[in-house]
Amino acid sequence: ASNGCKDSAYTSISIIPLPVLNITGTNNICEGESTTLLVSGANSYIWTPSTSLNTSVGPIVLANPSISQTYTITGTDINQCVGTISYSVSVLPAPNLSVTATEDTICIGNSSNLTAIGASSYIWTPSSSLNINTTPVVSATPTTITTYSVIGTDANNCSSTSLITINVNPLPILNV
């Protein structure tokens, strides 16, 4: 100033860091499955998009997307600072399983080979009239009409089910 006096003022500014969000869950699910996602690092959370979630708020959600989806989570801490994180859930397709039979109608006592393709491992039921129930090709010798079910599982551990029915005709009764 003109009289040689000086004055100064100081102020302190605190810089509060944004919340750092962490998320856990399963990145890959099979068609029709769901996964639980858990986020931490803030006090309140909003999830978007919310269409395939059981809730759009809170630290824990159940995600059941029909197609691969990336979720954005916005977390607010006690200081009203906001942080975001994204998390992708990929939906893996179920195996395209198909089943054929060498014959879909047999005479009692005969067999039909059943073949499943489209997966990497198989389980057939009912197994009582099969020679084996864990291979892609099985021999079926049913005594009555039987519907066989095969569960095929692929390398991603996704599975699907296919059915095939074998009709059984009785042997003719001959009169002499």
Side-chain angles (χ1 to χ4, degrees):
S2 60
N3 60 5
C5 295
K6 292 184 181 179
D7 192 12
S8 55
Y10 296 95
T11 186
S12 174
I13 299 175
S14 296
I15 298 176
I16 301 169
L18 298 177
V20 176
L21 304 180
N22 295 305
I23 190 164
T24 57
T26 303
N27 287 100
N28 297 317
I29 62 172
C30 299
E31 281 180 304
E33 291 183 349
S34 60
T35 182
T36 299
L37 304 176
L38 171 65
V39 66
S40 61
N43 290 63
S44 63
Y45 307 93
I46 298 174
W47 299 71
T48 56
S50 62
T51 52
S52 60
L53 302 174
N54 66 328
T55 182
S56 62
V57 296
I60 301 172
V61 299
L62 183 66
N64 187 17
S66 57
I67 59 171
S68 296
Q69 181 68 59
T70 298
Y71 299 100
T72 299
I73 304 92
T74 303
T76 305
D77 67 11
I78 59 173
N79 299 308
Q80 299 306 303
C81 294
V82 176
T84 61
I85 191 171
S86 293
Y87 193 80
S88 294
V89 176
S90 296
V91 178
L92 305 173
N96 186 11
L97 196 61
S98 69
V99 181
T100 58
T102 51
E103 295 183 54
D104 59 6
T105 301
I106 61 172
C107 292
I108 194 165
N110 290 348
S111 297
S112 178
N113 286 334
L114 310 179
T115 303
I117 59 171
S120 54
S121 66
Y122 304 90
I123 297 176
W124 296 83
T125 54
S127 61
S128 59
S129 59
L130 299 174
N131 64 329
I132 192 168
N133 73 329
T134 57
T135 58
V137 179
V138 297
S139 178
T141 312
T143 56
T144 62
I145 183 172
T146 303
T147 299
Y148 294 96
S149 170
V150 60
I151 299 171
T153 304
D154 65 13
N156 295 318
N157 208 28
C158 295
S159 60
S160 62
T161 303
S162 190
L163 303 173
I164 192 164
T165 300
I166 303 300
N167 297 297
V168 179
N169 289 329
L171 294 176
I173 297 173
L174 301 177
N175 292 320
V176 178

